[in-house]
Structures are given as structure tokens and as C-alpha cells.
Amino acid sequence: MSQERSYTIEEVAQLLKVSKLTTYDLVKKGEIPVFRVGRQMRIDALDLEAYIENQKINNRDATLKPTTQDHQTIVISGQDLVLDLLGKYIEKNSYYKTLRSYEGSLNGLIALYQGKTDMASLHMYDGDTGEYNIPYIKKLFVSQPYILFNLVSRKAGFYVQKGNPLNIHSFKDLTKSKVVLMNREKGSGARTLLDEQLRTHHIISSTIEGYNREETNHLGVASAVANGEANVGIGIEKTAKLVDVDFVPFIEERYDLVLLKTEKNHLLIEEVQKILVSDAFHTELDSIGGYDLSKTGAIIHETF
């Protein structure tokens, strides 16, 4: 194997002749190190060779030598900074080690269902009920018990150019002439919010210029508006303060965290809840700003 190469999860699964799920499990256990290029996990060729050599030695000696005997690696899915802070506290207060997966809400939820991640964050609006997250989780986790914690609440709205020259205040305004949208990727919470609002307002997506153009995070959308590539996008208020755009709020969204209730997760769930309601965690989130912490740590929904 070339020492300059790196592999995707899929390529490693093919090389080892195992399933992707088995490869993700090896990564979660810390047996194969990973690094990230954008949103994609990659495995260095040297690390893969080292893993294979370790397995040869283990088989030759007829013994097993787990590389994470004292620690269990878990994967947290989502993009918000609050998840990085949560991961730091988990590592500080327990034997868990954390990896981050920067998937959008729906993809993170599916990854949790498939066993590829250990906790998934989401902010998915349901237009029929006006509720966040629960309608989607109920449809996916029909027979698996889970617990849903609130992480934070935050304002979502339109990124518009300074002074809002096109006077964009509603979803119907997206169909105006000269209005060009920068959209989020399919499966993201912001994309779900837009699509549900268009559906309930009976607006056809093809009437919106730029609907099919996508960015994979809030910062990318806000930057596209700031540099004139678009003049409107959907995102959260916090990002608007980082980029030279104005923000028109239209909803308070609930950003939650879901974990499956398994015997293996019992201690993890207790640790996460303890962190979310702790004064230290709240103080650090307060210092970051842009979040409503009134429900942080509350159990939003739980099945048994």
C-alpha cells in the first residue's frame, strides 16, 4: 500500500472484505484511527497497515490486545459548536473518547438507526404539526427505545444582504424577481425547514431561482449571500453575526440530541444528561452566546 494514500470507509471495507458497518465499528472502538477531510472520514494507509499487522500478531499469539481497553470511542453527529463542547465535557468527565461526524440532521438520524453513530443532533421542522424533531424520530425508531434531550434553542431565519434591499420577509418573497436563493443540502435541518414551509404555503420550488444550488453548512450559505452569489438563504442567527449579512428571524427552533436506550448506552445517557444540566456547561455556552438555554438538558421525549 502506498504510504501517501488514504482511504474512505467504503474503500477500507472493500480492502478488508467486511461490511461498512463493521468498519465503522472498528473506528468507533478506536482500533483504526481516522481523520477528516471536510465531512468525510478518511483512514491513512499506514494506520490501516498497522491495524492489519496487529491482527496478524494477535492471531499468531492467539491473544487479543484491544487498543481501547480503558476507553470507548463514541461518534456524535451534527454541525453545531455546542456538540464540540459536549464532546469535550464527555471526555473530561468519563472514560469515553469522542469523534465528530458533521452530517446534517436527517443523515445523522439515519446513521444512528444504522449503528454508525452513537448520538445524533437534529432540528427538523414538521409542517403538519409545527413540531420539531419528534415526528421524524417516531417514524424511524418504531421498535427501538430512545431518549431525546434538548441541547439549545436558537433563532432561524433568512440571511439577506445588508439593509435587506429586496425586502425579503416571508417565504412568498422568495419567488420575487431578482431574488436568488442559496439552499442547504438535502437532509439538513435548514433544508427540511424550507421545504416544509414551501409545502404548507403551497409554493412550488421551481418558482424559486437558485433552489437547486446547495451549501453544506450555515456559514457557506451566509457567505454566499455576503459575497453576492445569492441574496437570500436559510440559517441560524448566530452565523449571521459572523458574516457581513443581515438576519430576518421567522422561527425559534429546538435543537435536540437523541440517543438509543440500550444496555450499552445506560452510562452514556446518564453522563450526557449530567453534563447538559451542569452549571459549568451552561456557563461556557453563555459565553459563546446566541443560544436559549432555558430547556437545555430537559427530556423532550422518551420511550420505554
Side-chain angles (χ1 to χ4, degrees), residues 7-24 26 32 43 48:
Y7 301 95
T8 65
I9 293 291
E10 290 79 4
E11 288 171 334
V12 170
Q14 292 173 2
L15 287 168
L16 296 179
K17 300 188 185 307
V18 297
S19 69
K20 286 195 295 182
L21 189 57
T22 298
T23 308
Y24 275 111
L26 292 172
I32 301 181
I43 295 170
L48 180 58

Side-chain angles (χ1 to χ4, degrees), residues 131-155:
E131 174 68 276
Y132 266 91
N133 302 328
I134 295 175
Y136 295 93
I137 299 173
K138 283 183 175 179
K139 290 176 182 176
L140 191 58
F141 297 105
V142 177
S143 59
Q144 294 172 279
Y146 59 86
I147 187 167
L148 183 70
F149 293 110
N150 176 244
L151 282 169
V152 294
S153 295
R154 56 194 192 180
K155 292 180 181 177

Side-chain angles (χ1 to χ4, degrees), residues 124-133 135 196 200 251-252 254:
M124 298 182 68
Y125 175 79
D126 176 61
D128 293 324
T129 62
E131 174 68 276
Y132 266 91
N133 302 328
E196 285 292 273
T200 57
I251 197 168
E252 183 88 5
R254 206 182 64 232

Side-chain angles (χ1 to χ4, degrees), residues 5-281:
R5 274 213 64 174
S6 65
Y7 301 95
T8 65
I9 293 291
E10 290 79 4
E11 288 171 334
V12 170
Q14 292 173 2
L15 287 168
L16 296 179
K17 300 188 185 307
V18 297
S19 69
K20 286 195 295 182
L21 189 57
T22 298
T23 308
Y24 275 111
D25 190 53
L26 292 172
V27 169
K28 286 169 61 177
K29 290 177 179 177
E31 295 187 30
I32 301 181
V34 297
F35 65 95
R36 289 192 171 276
V37 178
R39 298 174 61 217
Q40 186 182 69
M41 287 185 188
R42 297 195 70 87
I43 295 170
D44 189 275
L46 289 176
D47 289 327
L48 180 58
E49 286 183 358
Y51 169 76
I52 293 172
E53 288 303 315
N54 283 339
Q55 295 307 302
K56 289 179 181 178
I57 293 171
N58 289 340
N59 290 334
R60 189 179 307 127
D61 295 341
T63 59
L64 293 175
K65 299 189 298 181
T67 60
T68 54
Q69 185 174 1
D70 298 321
H71 295 87
Q72 178 184 338
T73 301
I74 59 173
V75 180
I76 306 174
S77 174
Q79 298 182 354
D80 198 282
L81 180 62
V82 66
L83 300 171
D84 296 317
L85 186 61
L86 175 61
K88 183 186 80 170
Y89 271 79
I90 289 174
E91 292 192 350
K92 178 181 177 182
N93 297 313
S94 71
Y95 65 88
Y96 294 103
K97 293 296 182 182
T98 61
L99 291 175
R100 293 279 285 102
S101 171
Y102 296 91
E103 296 285 358
S105 292
L106 181 58
N107 291 335
L109 201 60
I110 292 173
L112 181 65
Y113 178 79
Q114 295 175 332
K116 296 177 181 178
T117 190
D118 296 278
M119 56 184 87
S121 63
L122 66 162
H123 55 110
M124 298 182 68
Y125 175 79
D126 176 61
D128 293 324
T129 62
E131 174 68 276
Y132 266 91
N133 302 328
I134 295 175
Y136 295 93
I137 299 173
K138 283 183 175 179
K139 290 176 182 176
L140 191 58
F141 297 105
V142 177
S143 59
Q144 294 172 279
Y146 59 86
I147 187 167
L148 183 70
F149 293 110
N150 176 244
L151 282 169
V152 294
S153 295
R154 56 194 192 180
K155 292 180 181 177
F158 299 113
Y159 299 135
V160 296
Q161 293 169 336
K162 298 297 287 186
N164 196 7
L166 296 181
N167 198 30
I168 298 170
H169 292 282
S170 71
F171 286 92
K172 289 186 178 180
D173 291 335
L174 300 182
T175 63
K176 290 180 178 178
S177 62
K178 299 184 180 179
V179 171
V180 180
L181 173 74
M182 178 58 74
N183 210 345
R184 281 290 304 278
E185 81 280 12
K186 298 177 183 69
S188 67
R191 177 63 169 262
T192 302
L193 175 60
L194 172 63
D195 287 345
E196 285 292 273
Q197 292 286 349
L198 296 183
R199 179 177 68 84
T200 57
H201 285 85
H202 307 290
I203 299 171
I204 301 173
S205 62
S206 61
T207 63
I208 301 173
E209 186 175 352
Y211 174 84
N212 292 319
R213 298 191 307 160
E214 300 177 352
E215 287 284 348
T216 58
N217 52 59
H218 294 299
L219 186 60
V221 173
S223 297
V225 174
N227 64 30
E229 187 180 349
N231 42 45
V232 65
I234 307 293
I236 58 173
E237 183 179 29
K238 183 175 180 57
T239 303
K241 295 178 179 179
L242 302 176
V243 184
D244 192 27
V245 295
D246 283 349
F247 182 74
V248 180
F250 59 77
I251 197 168
E252 183 88 5
E253 69 174 20
R254 206 182 64 232
Y255 189 47
D256 294 333
L257 185 73
V258 61
L259 297 90
L260 298 184
K261 293 174 65 177
T262 64
E263 185 176 346
K264 184 184 76 170
N265 278 356
H266 178 70
L267 292 178
L268 177 60
I269 289 171
E270 286 187 352
E271 187 61 45
V272 167
Q273 185 173 28
K274 187 191 310 179
I275 291 168
L276 292 179
V277 299
S278 69
D279 290 338
F281 187 72

